Amino acid sequence: MSLRSMAQPIAPEVAPPAVVERKPPLPGLTGIRTFLAIGIMFFHFTPPLPTLVRPVIEAGFTYISFFLLISGFVLAYNYAHRAETLKPGKFYAARLSRLYPVYLLSLLVSLEMLHSEWTMRSLGEFLRGALLTPVLLQGWSPTLSTFWNTVAWTLSTEAMLYLAFPHIIRMKFWPRTPVKLVLLFGAFWLWELVLPTVYLLLNPDGLHDINRYSSGYWLRALKYTPLPFLPIFLAGITLGRFHAVIQLSDRMAFALTLVAGLGIFGAFYFLVPHVPYVLLHGGLLTPVFALLVLGLTGVHFISRVLGWGPIAAFGRASLCLYLLHFNTWITLHDHHIPERLGVAALDPWISYVFILCFAYAAYRLVEHPAQKYLLSRWVYKTPPPVELSAPLG
């Protein structure tokens, strides 16, 4: 070796790029979304069902809170362990790539509903709704929250929660012990119930016998605007952090699933008919929903059933089913499509089948490929390193 080569500095070793730990999928939570989305469809357009099943459908208004709890849990499950390295811009792009393509599709197939809004509202209100809805801001207005696509008010809430998540997950107040996390979860649950309790005490709309059909400015603000749902999202994040610091065996997860399932059905049959609607809508059942979420993270018979092919497939398409079912149903029946096709005798079941197929086609042809394309352009620059069929919160 020459003296010259010996004198050259040795280049420092370059550390290999950090490998992002990918959490295993949670098929049980993917599958439960199928039943939640179908339950919401049945809640809005209730089929003729045996009396035994009706309480489960009539409690469908509680499923939105369940969805948001799962959303907070799944985001914490996927990101809490890398909160410090999470880049908000890429996170926002990933969220937008999942939500917006099918949201835009839902608005396009609802253009007839936009015409109905034109006939029912003042010019100023219509223009505000037409401007706010495409940018996911309609939910901030109690009077416009259900504009254009009735059920899409939840997307305003999701957008706010997603914007806040990278900052929430980095906050230093998060405890690290199971007991403190359980106490924090309880605090968020109680916070969840504050506004519904205040509404019951003050009754600012002057309503009597409040139920799913009641309407008033402040009741709509409680039901549809984003801020009342912040505590349940925080409870979901707390639940995800709790799951990360405990060792939950599959046997214990199975037991939790059974206990939670019995608790939920018991609440639907015996509690829901006797408890004020606004408390139930506001998250009274969150603790028992949380037990079910924890239980479904395990590997056992029930989670395997929920992760079975067709159930999991519709779970992955649950966003499409949720966003498309309401206005699709109205369009089918306003234009008497079942009668024109000679299948009215099979209705409403033929309409449900059509909506399910339409939602799954939208997932396969719009949501999934659009998300994959946008992730590769905005986030990863290469084929995404995650399985896009996994629930992304």
Side-chain angles (χ1 to χ4, degrees), residues 10-205:
I10 300 175
E13 292 185 7
V14 178
V19 177
V20 177
E21 178 188 352
R22 298 293 171 186
K23 292 296 190 75
L26 301 173
L29 291 183
T30 302
I32 198 66
R33 293 176 186 231
T34 300
F35 293 98
L36 292 177
I38 293 175
I40 290 172
M41 178 174 67
F42 282 177
F43 173 72
H44 286 142
F45 307 103
T46 306
L49 290 171
T51 304
L52 187 64
V53 182
R54 278 199 166 271
V56 179
I57 303 305
E58 291 172 353
F61 62 90
T62 65
Y63 297 174
I64 296 297
S65 294
F66 198 172
F67 263 123
L68 292 175
L69 182 75
I70 293 174
S71 182
F73 176 88
V74 171
L75 288 177
Y77 175 81
N78 284 327
Y79 292 106
H81 62 292
R82 48 192 175 107
E84 297 302 322
T85 60
L86 177 62
K87 296 180 179 180
K90 288 193 172 184
F91 175 81
Y92 298 148
R95 298 300 94 200
L96 190 64
S97 72
R98 177 174 183 248
L99 290 182
Y100 202 77
V102 67
Y103 177 64
L104 182 60
L105 174 65
S106 77
L107 296 183
L108 291 175
V109 301
S110 303
L111 288 176
E112 189 171 355
M113 307 307 159
L114 185 61
H115 179 264
S116 298
E117 299 282 4
W118 169 261
T119 63
M120 293 186 297
R121 297 182 184 268
S122 67
L123 177 61
E125 195 173 44
F126 175 83
L127 291 176
R128 288 195 299 274
L131 290 173
L132 293 176
T133 301
V135 293
L136 299 169
L137 293 176
Q138 77 277 25
W140 291 92
S141 167
T143 57
L144 294 172
S145 53
T146 54
F147 187 90
W148 198 339
N149 184 351
T150 301
V151 298
W153 63 268
T154 58
L155 271 291
S156 290
T157 298
E158 292 269 14
M160 178 201 73
L161 298 176
Y162 288 161
L163 283 172
F165 177 78
H167 309 288
I168 291 172
I169 203 67
R170 289 180 180 174
M171 290 181 176
K172 303 301 181 184
F173 75 88
W174 293 105
R176 299 179 181 275
T177 63
V179 172
K180 289 182 178 179
L181 285 166
V182 169
L183 292 175
L184 183 61
F185 178 91
F188 286 139
W189 177 51
L190 293 177
W191 178 15
E192 225 180 300
L193 299 176
V194 168
L195 287 179
T197 302
V198 170
Y199 184 90
L200 281 177
L201 293 174
L202 300 181
N203 193 8
D205 294 312

Side-chain angles (χ1 to χ4, degrees), residues 34 37-38 41 317-326 355-356 359:
T34 300
I38 293 175
M41 178 174 67
S318 59
L319 176 63
C320 292
L321 177 56
Y322 175 77
L323 283 176
L324 294 171
H325 80 274
F326 197 92
I355 291 170
L356 286 169

